[in-house]
Amino acid sequence: SGSPRGILCREANQRDARRTTLEKLVFVTAYNLVGAAHGGLSMGEVAGKHGEEVGAMCRELASFVRYTLSVSLFSGLDDRLADYARTMEFLPTRLDAGAFPFTSGYFYRYTKMAGTRTTPAGIKVEIPDTTPLHTEYLLEARDRGLVGKELLDAA
């Protein structure tokens, strides 16, 4: 107790816990959005029928996490999340308004920052959408009535 070794171990465990939490955020966001976009599939169906789509979205969201929060998720993300989804084979996907600010809404807040900005020196800078695939699915969900415009406006 009190040794430097114990402190380092504790910090490593906190880093792992943070990674795990962010990985769950990526999972919940991507699988629910892709599943809802395809008619409310189960988690297992998303993994089985739309693995490439959801894998691409997971990688996009993981990249966002890496570059905005400086947290790299563990390698093998696609396979690990697909395996996890298969354990919840019959759990339906949905876009829950109560959870939205903490899932898709979290990523969409950054999307809303995209566009042309002017620096204090008067230089125009183009800020890209950091999660374009997620945005595409989210706007499609809005257009189909799966997500209310008010949720997107509030993000």
Side-chain angles (χ1 to χ4, degrees):
S1 87
S3 73
R5 175 171 276 163
I7 293 171
L8 293 175
C9 181
R10 188 170 142 228
E11 287 174 1
N13 289 335
Q14 289 174 348
R15 267 196 311 270
D16 289 350
R18 186 171 184 208
R19 282 187 183 115
T20 301
T21 299
L22 292 167
E23 191 168 293
K24 184 175 181 181
L25 170 65
V26 167
F27 173 80
V28 168
T29 301
Y31 274 79
N32 278 304
L33 185 53
V34 171
H38 286 288
L41 301 176
S42 72
M43 294 286 185
E45 288 173 316
V46 172
K49 296 178 180 178
H50 302 284
E52 288 299 317
E53 288 173 66
V54 76
M57 188 176 299
C58 287
R59 288 187 302 276
E60 178 181 271
L61 298 178
S63 177
F64 170 88
V65 165
R66 178 178 181 156
Y67 292 106
T68 57
L69 302 175
S70 299
V71 176
S72 295
L73 302 184
F74 295 114
S75 63
L77 180 73
D78 294 5
D79 292 337
R80 192 169 48 261
L81 295 185
D83 288 345
Y84 184 54
R86 286 185 200 96
T87 68
M88 297 183 281
E89 181 179 351
F90 300 107
L91 184 67
T93 57
R94 65 189 186 119
L95 298 174
D96 178 24
F100 184 84
F102 311 106
T103 57
S104 281
Y106 171 76
F107 295 102
Y108 191 66
R109 278 192 292 279
Y110 288 88
T111 293
K112 289 170 60 174
M113 293 179 195
T116 304
R117 301 282 184 257
T118 304
T119 68
I123 301 168
K124 292 195 182 291
V125 178
E126 188 65 31
I127 307 296
D129 181 354
T130 53
T131 55
L133 182 62
H134 174 264
T135 301
E136 178 185 332
Y137 273 77
L138 196 55
L139 295 179
E140 175 68 23
R142 178 204 60 199
D143 294 346
R144 292 179 46 212
L146 302 173
V147 168
K149 182 182 179 310
E150 68 282 352
L151 281 176
L152 295 179
D153 290 345

